[in-house]
Amino acid sequence: MDIYQQNILDHYKNPRYFGEIDDADHTKCLENPSCGDKICIATSCKFFRFSGSGCAISMATADILLEYVIKNKLTFRQILRLKKENILDLIKIDLQPVRLKCALLPLEVLQKMLAEIEKK
Amino acid sequence: MLKSIRKQFPILDSKNTRGQKLAYLDNASTTQKPKVVLRAISDFYQNFCANTHRGVYQLAENATQIFETSREIVQKFINARYREEIIFTSGTTESINLLAQAWGEENINQNDEIILTEMEHHSNLVPWQILAQKKGARLLFIPITADGQLDMAVYEKMLSSKTKLVALTHLSNVLGTINDINFIVKKAKKFGATTFVDAAQSVAHLALDVQKINCDFLAFSAHKMYGPFGLGVLYGKREILEKMSPYQYGGEMIREVNKEKSSWNNLPYKFEAGTQNIAGAVGLAMAIGFLRRIGFAKISKHERSLSHYAMKKLSKNKNITIYGPSTRGAVIAFTHDFIHPHDLSAILDAKQNVATRSGHHCAMPLAKKIGVEATCRVSFGIYNTKEEIDRLMKGILSAEKIFNK
Ligand SMILES: Cc1ncc(COP(=O)(O)O)c(C=O)c1O
């Protein structure tokens, strides 16, 4: 039960960074094939938004991650260095392996998008 | 009756840290195993362990006999005409792959048509996709109607002289639909098509009679019928199996091996390359005995009443959408208006120790068809109770409190 903490439920029910960006520079979507969660992240001028559908853990984590990235003005380099441990620190809950995938999907989307931007 | 059945499954008395007993409602994934099955397996390993068909010493002869007796028990269970028609595999998935490779390779050609349905498990879809791609054959899918039944009118129009195979599930692992396989096979035969029934979901719940169904092939897994993991069955009509080439090569499946060339053993050994899961076959035979002693009449009656009760309770909740027909097997998939299936399953587990499954249940095309990414699924077995369904409903209320808008 501990995984449905107030901060998770709050970000899930009232996400700050959920939505589309009109004429986004880049968009990246990934799906978790085992559960059907789908997350897209769009960016334009260092601003990010996420969309998609999924469980409370994946959606809340996406919102918490984007809030962290935007509020702290992380550089691409810093974002690309984020790891599983950073995500768990941010969301402050312990997860079993199956649900860990839900929590790590947003970071994977974000990092893959940035890696693609850097290549261009 | 229910009490003595539950006694066979000690796991059902296990409790979580809150002191709640396990309510296992994920029987479509795998069933729990009764003590008689576990004991038979361990007894085999302790007292009869030897490889089959190879030794002339008594122990090996006993093991061979035990293995072949298990085959005969399976034969009687599904009323196959001959014992050679029962091929042991590692499970339904391997049975279908065997079929797609050994039969499909020689019988499917360019522009041939294979009819499947929109409700197939990936294991009765992907092997046919690969075969069709390789051969330039075409896959056709019998559509499902709004209430989750196969559209028989469309099926009848699909059939033609091009139809080489009709392969479908007996019971949907998501919608719970029980397909009229007798009718479907009969229609397919009119066009000379070969037929395959995936009985993975029905074998523990409905009596099967392959002669009555008149299908050419049928498959199931022991682990979904109170038996062990790692063992399954492919039934095939003898005259078709005889014409098929082997699927894997190695020991036991050969008659004579020369350096350059070999010839094949008789049925069923031609399809059983290498050392078999002998203890698994013993476990399956025991599981069949266990099911037979209860009897399918009682099993159906009990499971139908559970399904009916759960459907009634679930449909009273306005936030819940149930998928599939009103008359169904012991499988109910549903979604909740504001709780994601994964969150729901996690809370049911944590608050009530109720085990349910959430996801696409290995039927992604079906999920797309019914317009959901994931559903929460409950599926019943002979040991489930109405009290467990009440706990499911309580757990849903708890989840609603957590996620209330
Ligand atoms: C309808 C159906 N077919 C095939 C399978 C595959 O069975 P196994 O994984 O035992 O090979 C399943 C298992 O979920 C199923 O539900």
Side-chain angles (χ1 to χ4, degrees), chain A:
Chain A
M1 189 40 30
D2 303 318
I3 66 174
Y4 297 103
Q5 294 293 336
Q6 215 40 57
N7 67 321
I8 298 288
L9 291 173
D10 179 37
H11 279 275
Y12 178 59
K13 290 182 198 169
N14 313 297
R16 287 61 150 172
Y17 297 94
F18 186 87
E20 314 277 338
I21 299 180
D22 292 338
D23 45 74
D25 298 334
H26 298 278
T27 307
K28 177 84 189 165
C29 299
L30 283 180
E31 246 173 273
N32 178 345
S34 68
C35 66
D37 283 3
K38 180 177 180 183
I39 290 184
C40 296
I41 296 182
T43 181
S44 162
C45 310
K46 304 252 164 177
F47 190 73
F48 299 94
R49 291 246 169 183
F50 77 99
S51 58
S53 63
C55 66
I57 304 300
S58 62
M59 293 285 114
T61 308
D63 202 53
I64 293 169
L65 172 65
L66 293 191
E67 181 176 71
Y68 175 71
V69 163
I70 292 165
K71 282 205 173 148
N72 294 292
K73 300 198 171 63
L74 294 199
T75 64
F76 277 20
R77 292 250 145 268
Q78 287 170 317
I79 295 173
L80 287 169
R81 274 203 296 269
L82 290 177
K83 293 208 163 48
K84 175 175 109 183
E85 290 70 31
N86 304 103
I87 296 296
L88 290 177
D89 284 347
L90 282 173
I91 61 177
K92 303 189 191 78
I93 51 173
D94 269 338
L95 291 172
Q96 303 279 332
V98 175
R99 300 309 294 278
L100 192 58
K101 280 194 210 152
C102 310
L104 296 181
L105 185 63
L107 180 64
E108 194 187 341
V109 179
L110 184 60
Q111 289 182 331
K112 286 218 164 119
M113 178 174 72
L114 297 189
E116 282 172 16
I117 293 173
E118 287 211 321
K119 255 195 223 150
K120 278 180 188 163

Side-chain angles (χ1 to χ4, degrees), chain B residues 1-70:
Chain B
M1 179 76 185
L2 191 56
K3 230 180 178 173
S4 70
I5 289 173
R6 286 181 67 88
K7 262 209 177 127
Q8 280 284 326
F9 299 87
I11 201 169
L12 300 176
D13 280 327
S14 68
K15 290 180 179 155
N16 65 3
T17 50
R18 300 159 66 105
Q20 295 163 316
K21 274 194 190 173
L22 171 68
Y24 185 76
L25 303 184
D26 192 19
N27 294 281
S29 296
T30 196
T31 56
Q32 298 300 331
K33 325 299 173 200
K35 282 197 264 188
V36 280
V37 168
L38 302 177
R39 223 181 286 132
I41 293 170
S42 107
D43 186 47
F44 173 80
Y45 278 123
Q46 275 193 30
N47 302 312
F48 299 96
C49 186
N51 209 331
T52 50
H53 306 296
R54 301 203 182 156
V56 289
Y57 49 96
Q58 193 59 44
L59 195 63
E61 273 173 14
N62 289 347
T64 305
Q65 191 164 11
I66 289 171
F67 187 60
E68 292 308 321
T69 304
S70 299

Side-chain angles (χ1 to χ4, degrees), chain B residues 163-360:
Chain B
T163 312
K164 287 292 140 55
L165 173 72
V166 177
L168 82 160
T169 188
H170 189 186
L171 203 162
S172 164
N173 68 321
V174 179
L175 303 172
T177 319
I178 300 170
N179 294 319
D180 187 353
I181 45 174
N182 293 21
F183 176 84
I184 288 168
V185 168
K186 198 166 93 192
K187 292 287 168 191
K189 295 271 159 198
K190 289 215 166 115
F191 291 87
T194 299
T195 50
F196 165 70
V197 174
D198 173 353
Q201 285 299 335
S202 58
V203 67
H205 310 280
L206 304 167
L208 295 174
D209 180 334
V210 290
Q211 293 189 57
K212 212 187 244 163
I213 301 166
N214 196 25
C215 54
D216 299 302
F217 297 101
L218 179 140
F220 54 89
S221 300
H223 75 93
K224 290 187 199 284
M225 54 185 294
Y226 311 99
F229 290 120
L231 187 87
V233 168
L234 176 66
Y235 157 83
K237 280 191 179 155
R238 188 171 72 178
E239 61 270 26
I240 306 179
L241 291 174
E242 268 167 355
K243 282 187 223 136
M244 283 160 55
S245 299
Y247 145 76
Q248 284 182 338
Y249 302 90
E252 195 53 47
M253 52 74 59
I254 35 72
R255 170 167 301 135
E256 196 184 339
V257 178
N258 298 301
K259 272 198 178 147
E260 314 295 337
K261 204 166 173 286
S262 302
S263 59
W264 315 133
N265 201 339
N266 294 332
L267 286 177
Y269 312 109
K270 180 168 81 174
F271 295 106
E272 293 179 354
T275 296
Q276 296 296 297
N277 183 354
I278 305 162
V282 171
L284 171 59
M286 266 303 157
I288 289 172
F290 174 74
L291 282 167
R292 285 203 133 164
R293 278 193 297 281
I294 302 169
F296 277 106
K298 278 212 184 101
I299 293 171
S300 305
K301 187 162 166 248
H302 178 63
E303 293 175 349
R304 227 180 299 133
S305 86
L306 290 175
S307 275
H308 189 77
Y309 185 74
M311 291 279 277
K312 199 176 76 189
K313 293 271 171 174
L314 286 166
S315 51
K316 273 202 189 128
N317 185 326
K318 298 259 173 330
N319 299 315
I320 285 176
T321 308
I322 299 174
Y323 300 89
S326 50
T327 333
R328 60 169 72 211
V331 178
I332 305 173
F334 59 93
T335 52
H336 191 283
D337 283 350
F338 58 87
I339 308 172
H340 190 277
H342 277 101
D343 296 321
L344 191 52
S345 281
I347 292 167
L348 288 169
D349 175 52
K351 289 272 185 191
Q352 291 290 339
N353 202 12
V354 172
T356 61
R357 190 174 193 97
S358 282
H360 50 60

Side-chain angles (χ1 to χ4, degrees), chain B residues 127-145:
Chain B
W128 305 121
Q129 280 176 350
I130 300 298
L131 179 69
Q133 282 163 15
K134 200 163 146 194
K135 298 284 185 165
R138 224 154 68 90
L139 300 182
L140 304 179
F141 295 87
I142 308 173
I144 53 172
T145 58

